[in-house]
Amino acid sequence: MDRPLTVLPTALEAQVKARPLPRHVGIIMDGNGRWAELRGQPRLEGHREGSVSVREVTRAARRLGVQALTLYAFSSQNWARPPEEVAGLMELLREYLESERAEILDNGIRLNAIGEVDKLPRYVREPLERLRADSAHNTGMVLTLALSYGGREELLRAARDLAQAAARGELDPAHLDADDLESRLWTAGLPPVDLIVRTSGEQRISNFLLWQLAYAELCFTDALWPDFRTEEFLRCLSQYQGRERRFGLTSAQVNRDDTPQRAKA
């Protein structure tokens, strides 16, 4: 990805914190398996090292004042991976929920989860639901884990909900609008997604937040997820801050004082 001038991480953090931040950052955490394979290790070791990046990036986002951070932890399609890898990932998820519980609660973070969470094994669902409930009244950053998540699956579920509501006479199909659909998405209530980051050099979205990224900035970095730590995260935020967000308008319109707030966000 394009890099700003080299600066010390502490100076870069101060620089980023002084400029408008994205309200909601989504991250496609890619490259764990490749990181391990490059080192001759089992793929699960890459996922384990990737959990360190989760901790570090979450801390950085909270410290900077990002309102919401959504991490693509396990996709709907990941269930098709080798059973031993899926089992290992579920165990790592359980370990994460238990090891990070105190930090999440002590720092006022609200834990959220999106996706077909009911498909997760009970030994993952139970600590997940406990931590969601115990952190529900926290007012700091919202940390959302996308688990058994797929953007197409989310949209299909929302469409079914709308169709059922229309069939019951609760909605007039002729007057449906974007708000009606957004209220039925798993991300309902979260701030608009301003920035999507994908690690590992791949440049695709992979079924992540398909509706929500309509006006999001995209940042692709070559760093594999286990190597994506605070400095790389800061560089992505700095890149975002250097872009002009027009939302379909012209530069002149965006820079006018009477421009709608959405165009200035």
Side-chain angles (χ1 to χ4, degrees):
M1 72 178 190
D2 296 331
R3 290 178 175 270
L5 293 175
T6 302
V7 293
L8 293 173
T10 51
L12 181 57
E13 181 164 336
Q15 180 186 96
V16 166
K17 196 167 186 177
R19 301 168 71 187
L21 289 161
R23 293 159 293 183
H24 186 172
V25 179
I27 303 182
I28 302 171
M29 305 180 294
D30 193 24
N32 290 340
R34 273 171 284 170
W35 184 92
E37 289 166 359
L38 286 169
R39 290 160 176 77
Q41 299 176 2
R43 288 175 58 85
L44 195 59
E45 289 307 307
H47 296 302
R48 190 178 302 280
E49 187 66 22
S51 68
V52 179
S53 294
V54 169
R55 182 179 303 113
E56 192 165 315
V57 169
T58 300
R59 286 175 176 173
R62 181 191 59 80
R63 187 168 66 246
L64 288 164
V66 173
Q67 295 177 34
L69 176 66
T70 296
L71 303 177
Y72 203 8
F74 192 84
S75 77
S76 299
Q77 290 67 43
N78 286 157
W79 291 112
R81 289 190 173 186
E84 61 274 13
E85 183 172 348
V86 171
L89 285 167
M90 291 298 110
E91 182 60 30
L92 283 175
L93 178 56
R94 183 192 64 79
E95 290 176 9
Y96 170 81
L97 292 168
E98 292 181 349
S99 66
E100 298 305 302
R101 176 182 174 84
E103 179 154 346
I104 286 172
L105 295 176
D106 291 346
N107 288 284
I109 295 171
R110 177 164 68 87
L111 183 71
N112 184 35
I114 57 174
E116 297 170 304
V117 178
D118 58 311
K119 291 186 176 181
L120 299 172
R122 180 180 296 178
Y123 65 83
V124 174
R125 284 200 318 272
E126 289 181 350
L128 174 65
E129 292 308 322
R130 280 198 301 271
L131 189 47
R132 289 178 72 178
D134 292 344
S135 66
H137 299 294
N138 287 350
T139 57
M141 184 182 77
V142 181
L143 172 62
T144 299
L145 303 179
L147 300 167
S148 190
Y149 173 85
R152 287 181 173 179
E153 289 78 2
E154 179 181 33
L155 288 169
L156 181 58
R157 175 183 175 275
R160 285 173 176 159
D161 285 352
L162 287 171
Q164 291 167 358
R168 293 191 298 265
E170 298 170 4
L171 291 173
D172 180 357
H175 295 96
L176 291 178
D177 58 22
D179 289 340
D180 291 316
L181 190 144
E182 286 188 352
S183 69
R184 288 165 170 81
L185 296 177
W186 285 315
T187 53
L190 292 175
V193 177
D194 289 323
L195 174 64
I196 296 288
V197 176
R198 182 172 187 140
T199 62
S200 87
E202 304 291 349
Q203 298 189 19
R204 55 180 179 270
I205 299 305
S206 296
N207 203 22
F208 184 52
L209 300 178
L210 297 181
W211 174 277
Q212 297 88 340
L213 60 70
Y215 283 100
E217 297 296 322
L218 306 180
C219 178
F220 300 105
T221 171
D222 289 334
L224 301 174
W225 177 248
D227 294 325
F228 188 92
R229 301 295 168 92
T230 299
E231 186 174 357
E232 282 292 330
F233 183 54
L234 290 170
R235 291 185 184 282
C236 289
L237 296 178
S238 180
Q239 186 181 140
Y240 165 87
Q241 292 171 329
R243 298 181 185 177
E244 181 182 70
R245 309 195 70 213
R246 296 195 297 273
F247 298 94
L249 303 179
T250 66
S251 295
Q253 287 176 301
V254 169
N255 292 321
R256 276 169 42 190
D257 291 338
D258 60 347
T259 301
Q261 186 63 36
R262 181 182 176 189
K264 292 183 176 181

